[in-house]
Amino acid sequence: MPEVQLTSEEIAVLRSTLSKFAIRGRTGELGVLHGLDRFVSTQLILKKSDRDALNAIAAKVGVRAINEVK
């Protein structure tokens, strides 16, 4: 697979989007945080390997890690 090149604008959009994502630690459910840390589910369950991959992607664009909620 060829290497992907992103512009600084694309990276900024990814950064702001990924910073709003959250994962329920016990179930692996992906959701979005908004307001007063309200979790809204996307109805997507991630396996541990997928969670690790998502965190690796976030780190590459400058987001420390995807939030984990209880």
Side-chain angles (χ1 to χ4, degrees), residues 5-70:
Q5 298 292 322
L6 300 174
T7 67
S8 58
E9 290 174 348
E10 292 167 334
I11 291 172
V13 169
L14 274 175
R15 230 181 249 139
S16 64
T17 303
L18 290 173
S19 68
K20 297 295 183 186
F21 281 160
I23 297 174
R24 285 192 194 245
R26 199 176 96 236
T27 63
E29 182 179 11
L30 181 68
V32 178
L33 288 179
H34 75 88
L36 295 171
D37 290 336
R38 183 171 167 219
F39 181 85
V40 179
S41 175
T42 62
Q43 304 296 315
L44 178 65
I45 306 296
L46 298 176
K47 294 184 277 182
K48 175 77 168 104
S49 60
D50 295 336
R51 288 187 241 173
D52 292 341
L54 187 59
N55 276 320
I57 293 166
K60 286 180 182 180
V61 296
V63 176
R64 197 166 17 119
I66 302 299
N67 294 314
E68 190 168 312
V69 296
K70 292 182 181 183

